[in-house]
Coordinates of all heavy atoms in Angstrom, one line a residue:
R87 N -141.5 -118.2 -49.9 CA -140.3 -119.0 -49.7 C -139.5 -118.4 -48.5 O -138.4 -119.0 -48.2 CB -139.5 -119.1 -51.0 CG -140.2 -119.7 -52.1 CD -139.2 -120.0 -53.3 NE -139.9 -120.3 -54.5 CZ -139.3 -120.7 -55.6 NH1 -138.0 -120.8 -55.6 NH2 -140.0 -120.9 -56.7
G88 N -140.0 -117.4 -47.9 CA -139.3 -116.8 -46.8 C -137.9 -116.2 -47.1 O -137.0 -116.2 -46.3
L89 N -137.8 -115.6 -48.3 CA -136.6 -115.0 -48.8 C -136.5 -113.6 -48.4 O -137.3 -112.8 -48.8 CB -136.4 -115.2 -50.3 CG -136.3 -116.6 -50.8 CD1 -136.5 -116.7 -52.3 CD2 -135.0 -117.3 -50.4
G90 N -135.5 -113.2 -47.7 CA -135.3 -111.8 -47.3 C -134.2 -111.1 -48.1 O -134.0 -109.9 -47.8
N91 N -133.6 -111.7 -49.0 CA -132.5 -111.1 -49.8 C -132.9 -110.9 -51.2 O -132.1 -111.0 -52.2 CB -131.3 -112.0 -49.7 CG -131.4 -113.4 -50.4 OD1 -132.6 -113.9 -50.4 ND2 -130.4 -114.0 -50.9
V92 N -134.1 -110.5 -51.5 CA -134.6 -110.2 -52.8 C -135.6 -109.1 -52.8 O -136.3 -108.9 -51.9 CB -135.3 -111.5 -53.4 CG1 -136.4 -112.0 -52.6 CG2 -135.7 -111.3 -54.9
D93 N -135.5 -108.2 -53.9 CA -136.4 -107.2 -54.1 C -136.8 -107.0 -55.5 O -136.1 -107.7 -56.4 CB -135.9 -105.8 -53.5 CG -134.7 -105.3 -54.3 OD1 -133.9 -106.1 -54.7 OD2 -134.6 -104.1 -54.4
F94 N -137.8 -106.3 -55.8 CA -138.3 -106.2 -57.2 C -138.6 -104.7 -57.6 O -139.0 -103.9 -56.7 CB -139.6 -107.0 -57.4 CG -139.4 -108.5 -57.1 CD1 -139.6 -109.0 -55.9 CD2 -138.9 -109.3 -58.1 CE1 -139.3 -110.4 -55.6 CE2 -138.7 -110.7 -57.9 CZ -138.9 -111.2 -56.7
A95 N -138.5 -104.4 -58.9 CA -138.7 -103.1 -59.3 C -139.1 -103.1 -60.8 O -138.8 -104.1 -61.5 CB -137.5 -102.2 -59.1
V96 N -139.8 -102.1 -61.3 CA -140.1 -101.9 -62.7 C -138.8 -101.3 -63.4 O -138.2 -100.4 -62.8 CB -141.2 -100.9 -62.9 CG1 -141.5 -100.7 -64.4 CG2 -142.5 -101.5 -62.3
A97 N -138.5 -101.8 -64.6 CA -137.3 -101.3 -65.2 C -137.3 -101.7 -66.7 O -138.0 -102.6 -67.2 CB -136.0 -102.0 -64.6
D98 N -136.6 -100.9 -67.5 CA -136.4 -101.1 -68.9 C -135.0 -101.5 -69.2 O -134.0 -100.8 -68.8 CB -136.7 -99.8 -69.7 CG -136.4 -99.8 -71.2 OD1 -136.2 -100.9 -71.7 OD2 -136.4 -98.8 -71.8
V99 N -134.8 -102.7 -69.8 CA -133.4 -103.2 -70.0 C -132.6 -102.2 -70.8 O -131.3 -102.3 -70.7 CB -133.5 -104.6 -70.7 CG1 -134.0 -104.5 -72.1 CG2 -132.1 -105.2 -70.6
H100 N -133.2 -101.4 -71.6 CA -132.4 -100.4 -72.4 C -131.9 -99.2 -71.6 O -131.0 -98.5 -72.1 CB -133.2 -99.9 -73.6 CG -133.6 -100.9 -74.6 ND1 -134.9 -101.4 -74.7 CD2 -132.9 -101.5 -75.6 CE1 -134.9 -102.3 -75.7 NE2 -133.7 -102.3 -76.3
A101 N -132.4 -99.0 -70.4 CA -132.1 -97.9 -69.6 C -132.3 -98.3 -68.1 O -133.2 -97.9 -67.5 CB -132.9 -96.7 -70.0
L102 N -131.3 -99.0 -67.6 CA -131.4 -99.5 -66.2 C -131.1 -98.4 -65.2 O -130.1 -97.7 -65.4 CB -130.5 -100.7 -66.0 CG -130.9 -101.9 -66.9 CD1 -129.7 -102.9 -66.9 CD2 -132.2 -102.6 -66.4
D103 N -131.9 -98.3 -64.2 CA -131.7 -97.3 -63.2 C -130.7 -97.8 -62.1 O -131.0 -97.7 -60.9 CB -133.0 -96.9 -62.5 CG -133.9 -96.2 -63.5 OD1 -133.4 -95.4 -64.4 OD2 -135.2 -96.4 -63.5
F104 N -129.5 -98.2 -62.5 CA -128.5 -98.6 -61.5 C -127.2 -98.0 -62.0 O -126.9 -97.8 -63.2 CB -128.4 -100.1 -61.5 CG -129.7 -100.8 -61.1 CD1 -130.5 -101.4 -62.1 CD2 -130.1 -100.9 -59.8 CE1 -131.6 -102.1 -61.8 CE2 -131.3 -101.5 -59.5 CZ -132.1 -102.1 -60.5
P105 N -126.3 -97.7 -61.0 CA -125.0 -97.2 -61.4 C -124.1 -98.2 -62.1 O -124.4 -99.4 -62.1 CB -124.4 -96.8 -60.0 CG -125.5 -96.8 -59.0 CD -126.5 -97.8 -59.6
D106 N -123.1 -97.7 -62.7 CA -122.1 -98.6 -63.3 C -121.6 -99.6 -62.3 O -121.4 -99.3 -61.1 CB -120.9 -97.8 -63.9 CG -121.3 -96.9 -65.1 OD1 -122.5 -97.0 -65.5 OD2 -120.5 -96.2 -65.6
D107 N -121.2 -100.8 -62.8 CA -120.5 -101.8 -61.9 C -121.2 -102.1 -60.6 O -120.6 -102.2 -59.6 CB -119.1 -101.2 -61.6 CG -118.3 -100.8 -62.9 OD1 -118.6 -101.3 -63.9 OD2 -117.4 -100.0 -62.7
T108 N -122.5 -102.4 -60.7 CA -123.3 -102.6 -59.5 C -123.4 -104.1 -59.2 O -123.3 -104.5 -58.0 CB -124.7 -102.0 -59.7 OG1 -124.6 -100.6 -59.8 CG2 -125.6 -102.4 -58.4
F109 N -123.6 -105.0 -60.2 CA -123.9 -106.4 -59.9 C -122.8 -107.3 -60.3 O -122.1 -107.1 -61.3 CB -125.2 -106.7 -60.7 CG -126.4 -105.9 -60.3 CD1 -126.7 -104.8 -61.0 CD2 -127.1 -106.3 -59.2 CE1 -127.8 -104.0 -60.7 CE2 -128.3 -105.5 -58.8 CZ -128.6 -104.4 -59.6
C110 N -122.7 -108.4 -59.6 CA -121.8 -109.5 -59.9 C -122.3 -110.3 -61.1 O -121.5 -110.8 -61.9 CB -121.6 -110.5 -58.7 SG -121.2 -109.7 -57.2
V111 N -123.6 -110.5 -61.2 CA -124.2 -111.2 -62.3 C -125.5 -110.4 -62.8 O -126.3 -110.0 -62.0 CB -124.7 -112.6 -61.9 CG1 -125.5 -113.3 -63.0 CG2 -123.5 -113.5 -61.4
V112 N -125.6 -110.2 -64.1 CA -126.8 -109.7 -64.7 C -127.4 -110.8 -65.6 O -126.7 -111.2 -66.6 CB -126.5 -108.4 -65.5 CG1 -127.8 -107.9 -66.1 CG2 -126.0 -107.3 -64.5
H113 N -128.6 -111.3 -65.3 CA -129.2 -112.4 -65.9 C -130.5 -112.0 -66.6 O -131.3 -111.2 -66.1 CB -129.5 -113.5 -64.8 CG -130.3 -114.6 -65.3 ND1 -131.7 -114.6 -65.1 CD2 -130.0 -115.7 -65.9 CE1 -132.2 -115.8 -65.6 NE2 -131.2 -116.5 -66.1
A114 N -130.7 -112.6 -67.8 CA -131.9 -112.4 -68.6 C -132.3 -113.7 -69.2 O -131.6 -114.2 -70.1 CB -131.7 -111.3 -69.6
H115 N -133.5 -114.2 -68.9 CA -134.0 -115.4 -69.5 C -135.2 -115.1 -70.3 O -136.2 -114.5 -69.9 CB -134.4 -116.4 -68.4 CG -134.9 -117.7 -68.9 ND1 -136.3 -118.0 -69.1 CD2 -134.3 -118.8 -69.3 CE1 -136.4 -119.2 -69.5 NE2 -135.2 -119.8 -69.7
Q116 N -135.2 -115.4 -71.6 CA -136.3 -115.2 -72.6 C -136.6 -113.7 -72.6 O -137.8 -113.4 -72.6 CB -137.5 -116.1 -72.2 CG -137.2 -117.5 -72.0 CD -136.7 -118.3 -73.1 OE1 -136.4 -117.8 -74.2 NE2 -136.6 -119.6 -73.0
V117 N -135.6 -112.9 -72.7 CA -135.9 -111.4 -72.8 C -135.5 -110.8 -74.1 O -136.2 -110.1 -74.7 CB -135.1 -110.7 -71.6 CG1 -135.2 -109.2 -71.8 CG2 -135.7 -111.2 -70.3
L118 N -134.3 -111.1 -74.6 CA -133.7 -110.4 -75.7 C -134.6 -110.7 -77.0 O -134.6 -109.8 -77.9 CB -132.3 -110.7 -76.0 CG -131.3 -110.3 -74.9 CD1 -129.8 -110.4 -75.4 CD2 -131.5 -108.8 -74.5
Q119 N -135.3 -111.8 -77.1 CA -136.1 -112.0 -78.2 C -137.3 -111.0 -78.3 O -137.9 -110.9 -79.4 CB -136.7 -113.4 -78.2 CG -137.6 -113.7 -77.0 CD -138.0 -115.2 -76.9 OE1 -138.9 -115.6 -77.7 NE2 -137.4 -115.9 -76.1
H120 N -137.6 -110.3 -77.2 CA -138.7 -109.4 -77.2 C -138.3 -108.0 -77.2 O -139.3 -107.1 -77.2 CB -139.5 -109.7 -75.9 CG -140.1 -111.1 -75.9 ND1 -141.0 -111.6 -76.7 CD2 -139.8 -112.1 -75.0 CE1 -141.4 -112.8 -76.5 NE2 -140.6 -113.2 -75.4
V121 N -137.1 -107.6 -77.2 CA -136.7 -106.2 -77.0 C -136.4 -105.6 -78.4 O -136.2 -106.2 -79.4 CB -135.5 -106.0 -76.1 CG1 -135.7 -106.7 -74.8 CG2 -134.2 -106.5 -76.8
G122 N -136.5 -104.2 -78.4 CA -136.3 -103.5 -79.6 C -134.9 -103.4 -80.1 O -134.7 -103.4 -81.3
D123 N -133.9 -103.5 -79.2 CA -132.5 -103.4 -79.6 C -131.7 -104.2 -78.7 O -131.2 -103.8 -77.6 CB -132.1 -101.9 -79.5 CG -130.7 -101.7 -80.1 OD1 -129.9 -102.7 -80.2 OD2 -130.4 -100.5 -80.5
P124 N -131.6 -105.5 -79.0 CA -130.8 -106.4 -78.1 C -129.4 -106.1 -77.9 O -128.8 -106.4 -76.8 CB -131.0 -107.8 -78.8 CG -131.4 -107.5 -80.2 CD -132.1 -106.2 -80.2
V125 N -128.7 -105.5 -78.9 CA -127.3 -105.1 -78.7 C -127.2 -104.0 -77.7 O -126.4 -104.0 -76.8 CB -126.7 -104.7 -80.1 CG1 -125.3 -104.1 -79.9 CG2 -126.7 -105.9 -81.1
R126 N -128.1 -103.0 -77.8 CA -128.1 -101.9 -76.8 C -128.4 -102.5 -75.4 O -127.8 -102.0 -74.4 CB -129.1 -100.8 -77.2 CG -128.9 -99.6 -76.3 CD -129.8 -98.4 -76.8 NE -131.2 -98.6 -76.5 CZ -132.2 -97.9 -77.1 NH1 -131.9 -97.0 -78.0 NH2 -133.4 -98.2 -76.8
A127 N -129.3 -103.4 -75.4 CA -129.7 -104.0 -74.1 C -128.5 -104.7 -73.5 O -128.2 -104.6 -72.3 CB -130.8 -105.0 -74.3
L128 N -127.7 -105.4 -74.3 CA -126.5 -106.1 -73.8 C -125.5 -105.1 -73.3 O -124.8 -105.3 -72.3 CB -125.9 -107.0 -74.8 CG -126.7 -108.4 -75.0 CD1 -126.3 -109.0 -76.3 CD2 -126.3 -109.3 -73.8
R129 N -125.3 -104.0 -74.0 CA -124.4 -103.0 -73.5 C -124.8 -102.4 -72.2 O -124.0 -102.2 -71.3 CB -124.3 -101.8 -74.6 CG -123.6 -102.2 -75.9 CD -123.3 -100.9 -76.7 NE -122.8 -101.3 -78.0 CZ -123.4 -101.1 -79.1 NH1 -124.6 -100.5 -79.1 NH2 -122.9 -101.4 -80.3
E130 N -126.1 -102.2 -72.0 CA -126.6 -101.7 -70.7 C -126.4 -102.8 -69.6 O -126.1 -102.4 -68.5 CB -128.1 -101.3 -70.9 CG -128.7 -100.7 -69.7 CD -128.2 -99.3 -69.4 OE1 -127.2 -98.9 -70.0 OE2 -128.8 -98.7 -68.5
M131 N -126.7 -104.0 -70.0 CA -126.4 -105.1 -69.0 C -125.0 -105.1 -68.6 O -124.6 -105.3 -67.4 CB -126.9 -106.4 -69.6 CG -128.4 -106.6 -69.8 SD -128.8 -108.0 -70.7 CE -128.4 -109.3 -69.5
A132 N -124.1 -105.0 -69.5 CA -122.6 -105.0 -69.2 C -122.2 -103.7 -68.4 O -121.4 -103.8 -67.5 CB -121.8 -105.0 -70.5
R133 N -122.9 -102.6 -68.7 CA -122.6 -101.4 -67.9 C -122.8 -101.6 -66.4 O -121.9 -101.1 -65.6 CB -123.4 -100.2 -68.4 CG -123.2 -98.9 -67.7 CD -124.1 -97.8 -68.1 NE -125.5 -98.1 -67.7 CZ -126.0 -97.9 -66.4 NH1 -125.2 -97.5 -65.4 NH2 -127.3 -98.2 -66.1
V134 N -123.9 -102.2 -66.0 CA -124.2 -102.4 -64.6 C -123.5 -103.6 -64.0 O -123.7 -103.9 -62.8 CB -125.7 -102.4 -64.4 CG1 -126.3 -101.1 -64.9 CG2 -126.4 -103.6 -65.0
T135 N -122.7 -104.4 -64.8 CA -122.0 -105.5 -64.3 C -120.6 -105.1 -63.8 O -119.9 -104.3 -64.4 CB -121.9 -106.6 -65.4 OG1 -123.1 -107.0 -65.9 CG2 -121.2 -107.8 -64.8
R136 N -120.2 -105.6 -62.6 CA -118.9 -105.3 -62.1 C -117.8 -105.9 -62.9 O -118.0 -107.0 -63.5 CB -118.8 -105.9 -60.7 CG -119.7 -105.2 -59.7 CD -119.6 -105.9 -58.3 NE -120.5 -105.3 -57.3 CZ -120.8 -105.8 -56.1 NH1 -120.2 -107.0 -55.8 NH2 -121.6 -105.2 -55.3
P137 N -116.6 -105.3 -63.0 CA -115.5 -106.0 -63.7 C -115.3 -107.4 -63.0 O -115.3 -107.5 -61.8 CB -114.4 -105.0 -63.4 CG -115.0 -103.7 -63.2 CD -116.3 -104.0 -62.5
G138 N -115.1 -108.4 -63.9 CA -115.0 -109.7 -63.5 C -116.3 -110.5 -63.3 O -116.3 -111.7 -63.0
G139 N -117.4 -109.7 -63.4 CA -118.7 -110.3 -63.2 C -119.2 -110.9 -64.5 O -118.5 -110.9 -65.6
Y140 N -120.5 -111.4 -64.5 CA -121.0 -112.2 -65.6 C -122.3 -111.5 -66.2 O -123.2 -111.1 -65.4 CB -121.3 -113.6 -65.2 CG -120.1 -114.4 -64.8 CD1 -119.8 -114.5 -63.5 CD2 -119.4 -115.0 -65.8 CE1 -118.6 -115.2 -63.1 CE2 -118.2 -115.8 -65.4 CZ -117.9 -115.9 -64.1 OH -116.8 -116.6 -63.7
I141 N -122.4 -111.5 -67.5 CA -123.7 -111.3 -68.2 C -124.2 -112.6 -68.7 O -123.5 -113.3 -69.5 CB -123.5 -110.3 -69.3 CG1 -122.9 -109.0 -68.8 CG2 -124.8 -110.1 -70.1 CD1 -121.4 -108.8 -69.0
A142 N -125.3 -113.1 -68.3 CA -125.9 -114.4 -68.6 C -127.2 -114.3 -69.3 O -128.1 -113.7 -68.7 CB -126.0 -115.2 -67.3
V143 N -127.3 -114.8 -70.5 CA -128.5 -114.6 -71.3 C -128.9 -116.0 -71.9 O -128.0 -116.7 -72.4 CB -128.3 -113.6 -72.4 CG1 -129.5 -113.5 -73.3 CG2 -127.9 -112.3 -71.8
R144 N -130.2 -116.3 -71.9 CA -130.7 -117.5 -72.5 C -132.0 -117.1 -73.3 O -132.9 -116.5 -72.7 CB -131.0 -118.6 -71.5 CG -131.4 -119.9 -72.0 CD -131.6 -120.9 -70.8 NE -131.6 -122.3 -71.2 CZ -132.7 -123.1 -71.0 NH1 -133.8 -122.6 -70.6 NH2 -132.6 -124.3 -71.3
D145 N -132.1 -117.6 -74.5 CA -133.3 -117.3 -75.3 C -133.6 -118.5 -76.2 O -132.7 -119.2 -76.7 CB -133.1 -116.1 -76.2 CG -133.6 -114.8 -75.6 OD1 -134.8 -114.6 -75.6 OD2 -132.7 -114.1 -75.0
S146 N -134.9 -118.8 -76.3 CA -135.3 -119.8 -77.2 C -135.1 -119.4 -78.7 O -134.9 -118.2 -79.0 CB -136.8 -120.2 -77.0 OG -137.6 -119.1 -77.1
D147 N -135.2 -120.4 -79.6 CA -135.0 -120.1 -81.0 C -136.2 -120.8 -81.7 O -136.2 -122.1 -81.9 CB -133.7 -120.7 -81.5 CG -133.3 -120.2 -82.9 OD1 -134.1 -120.6 -83.8 OD2 -132.3 -119.5 -83.0
Y148 N -137.2 -120.1 -82.1 CA -138.5 -120.7 -82.6 C -138.3 -121.5 -83.9 O -138.8 -122.6 -84.0 CB -139.5 -119.6 -82.8 CG -140.3 -119.3 -81.5 CD1 -139.7 -118.5 -80.5 CD2 -141.5 -119.8 -81.3 CE1 -140.3 -118.3 -79.3 CE2 -142.2 -119.6 -80.1 CZ -141.6 -118.8 -79.1 OH -142.2 -118.5 -77.9
A149 N -137.4 -121.0 -84.8 CA -137.2 -121.7 -86.0 C -136.6 -123.1 -85.8 O -136.7 -124.0 -86.6 CB -136.4 -120.9 -87.0
A150 N -135.9 -123.2 -84.7 CA -135.2 -124.5 -84.4 C -136.1 -125.4 -83.5 O -135.7 -126.6 -83.2 CB -133.9 -124.2 -83.6
M151 N -137.3 -125.0 -83.1 CA -138.2 -125.9 -82.4 C -138.6 -127.0 -83.3 O -138.9 -126.8 -84.5 CB -139.4 -125.1 -81.9 CG -139.0 -124.1 -80.8 SD -140.5 -123.3 -80.1 CE -139.8 -122.1 -79.1
T152 N -138.8 -128.2 -82.8 CA -139.1 -129.3 -83.7 C -140.0 -130.3 -82.9 O -140.0 -130.3 -81.7 CB -137.9 -130.0 -84.2 OG1 -138.3 -131.0 -85.2 CG2 -137.1 -130.7 -83.1
W153 N -140.8 -131.0 -83.6 CA -141.8 -131.9 -83.0 C -142.1 -133.1 -83.9 O -141.8 -133.1 -85.1 CB -143.1 -131.1 -82.6 CG -143.8 -130.5 -83.8 CD1 -144.6 -131.1 -84.7 CD2 -143.6 -129.2 -84.3 NE1 -145.0 -130.2 -85.7 CE2 -144.4 -129.0 -85.5 CE3 -142.8 -128.1 -83.9 CZ2 -144.4 -127.8 -86.2 CZ3 -142.9 -126.9 -84.6 CH2 -143.7 -126.8 -85.7
Y154 N -142.8 -134.1 -83.3 CA -143.2 -135.3 -84.0 C -144.6 -135.7 -83.3 O -144.7 -135.5 -82.1 CB -142.2 -136.4 -83.8 CG -142.6 -137.6 -84.6 CD1 -142.3 -137.8 -86.0 CD2 -143.4 -138.6 -84.0 CE1 -142.6 -138.9 -86.7 CE2 -143.8 -139.8 -84.7 CZ -143.4 -139.9 -86.1 OH -143.8 -141.0 -86.8
P155 N -145.5 -136.1 -84.1 CA -145.5 -136.3 -85.6 C -145.7 -135.0 -86.3 O -146.1 -134.0 -85.7 CB -146.6 -137.3 -85.9 CG -147.6 -137.0 -84.7 CD -146.7 -136.7 -83.5
A156 N -145.6 -135.0 -87.6 CA -145.8 -133.8 -88.4 C -147.2 -133.3 -88.3 O -148.2 -134.1 -88.1 CB -145.5 -134.1 -89.9
S157 N -147.4 -132.0 -88.3 CA -148.7 -131.4 -88.1 C -148.8 -130.1 -88.9 O -148.2 -129.1 -88.6 CB -149.0 -131.1 -86.6 OG -150.1 -130.3 -86.5
P158 N -149.6 -130.1 -90.0 CA -149.8 -128.8 -90.7 C -150.3 -127.7 -89.9 O -149.8 -126.5 -90.0 CB -150.8 -129.2 -91.8 CG -150.6 -130.7 -92.0 CD -150.3 -131.2 -90.7
G159 N -151.1 -128.0 -88.9 CA -151.6 -126.9 -88.0 C -150.6 -126.3 -87.2 O -150.5 -125.1 -86.9
M160 N -149.6 -127.2 -86.7 CA -148.5 -126.6 -85.9 C -147.5 -126.0 -86.8 O -146.8 -125.0 -86.3 CB -147.9 -127.7 -85.0 CG -148.9 -128.1 -83.9 SD -148.4 -129.5 -82.9 CE -146.9 -128.9 -82.1
D161 N -147.3 -126.4 -88.0 CA -146.5 -125.6 -88.9 C -147.0 -124.2 -89.1 O -146.3 -123.2 -89.1 CB -146.4 -126.3 -90.3 CG -145.6 -127.6 -90.3 OD1 -144.8 -127.8 -89.4 OD2 -145.8 -128.4 -91.3
D162 N -148.4 -124.2 -89.2 CA -149.0 -122.9 -89.3 C -148.8 -122.0 -88.0 O -148.6 -120.8 -88.1 CB -150.5 -123.1 -89.6 CG -151.2 -121.8 -90.1 OD1 -150.5 -121.0 -90.7 OD2 -152.4 -121.7 -89.9
W163 N -148.9 -122.7 -86.9 CA -148.6 -122.0 -85.6 C -147.2 -121.3 -85.6 O -147.1 -120.2 -85.3 CB -148.7 -122.9 -84.4 CG -147.9 -122.4 -83.2 CD1 -148.3 -121.4 -82.4 CD2 -146.6 -122.8 -82.8 NE1 -147.3 -121.2 -81.4 CE2 -146.3 -122.0 -81.7 CE3 -145.7 -123.8 -83.2 CZ2 -145.1 -122.2 -81.0 CZ3 -144.5 -123.9 -82.6 CH2 -144.2 -123.1 -81.5
L164 N -146.2 -122.1 -86.0 CA -144.8 -121.6 -86.0 C -144.7 -120.4 -87.0 O -144.1 -119.3 -86.6 CB -143.8 -122.7 -86.4 CG -142.4 -122.3 -86.3 CD1 -142.0 -121.7 -85.0 CD2 -141.5 -123.5 -86.7
D165 N -145.2 -120.5 -88.2 CA -145.2 -119.4 -89.1 C -145.9 -118.2 -88.6 O -145.4 -117.1 -88.7 CB -145.8 -119.9 -90.4 CG -145.9 -118.7 -91.4 OD1 -144.9 -118.2 -91.9 OD2 -147.1 -118.3 -91.7
L166 N -147.1 -118.4 -88.0 CA -147.8 -117.3 -87.5 C -147.1 -116.6 -86.3 O -147.0 -115.4 -86.3 CB -149.2 -117.8 -87.0 CG -150.2 -116.8 -86.4 CD1 -150.5 -115.6 -87.3 CD2 -151.4 -117.5 -85.9

Side-chain angles (χ1 to χ4, degrees):
R87 300 191 193 184
L89 296 166
N91 64 333
V92 60
D93 67 324
F94 297 92
V96 176
D98 173 11
V99 68
H100 293 104
L102 296 168
D103 292 325
F104 302 103
D106 295 357
D107 306 336
T108 297
F109 299 96
C110 306
V111 175
V112 178
H113 168 263
H115 182 266
Q116 313 293 10
V117 172
L118 294 191
Q119 64 185 280
H120 298 295
V121 306
D123 189 338
V125 173
R126 188 172 75 192
L128 281 164
R129 289 194 187 111
E130 184 69 350
M131 293 170 68
R133 179 186 67 78
V134 301
T135 302
R136 295 174 181 172
Y140 296 96
I141 301 97
V143 178
R144 186 177 196 248
D145 267 279
S146 56
D147 192 298
Y148 276 77
M151 293 184 188
T152 189
W153 57 85
Y154 184 87
S157 166
M160 289 175 64
D161 289 342
D162 196 26
W163 158 75
L164 182 57
D165 173 70
L166 176 62

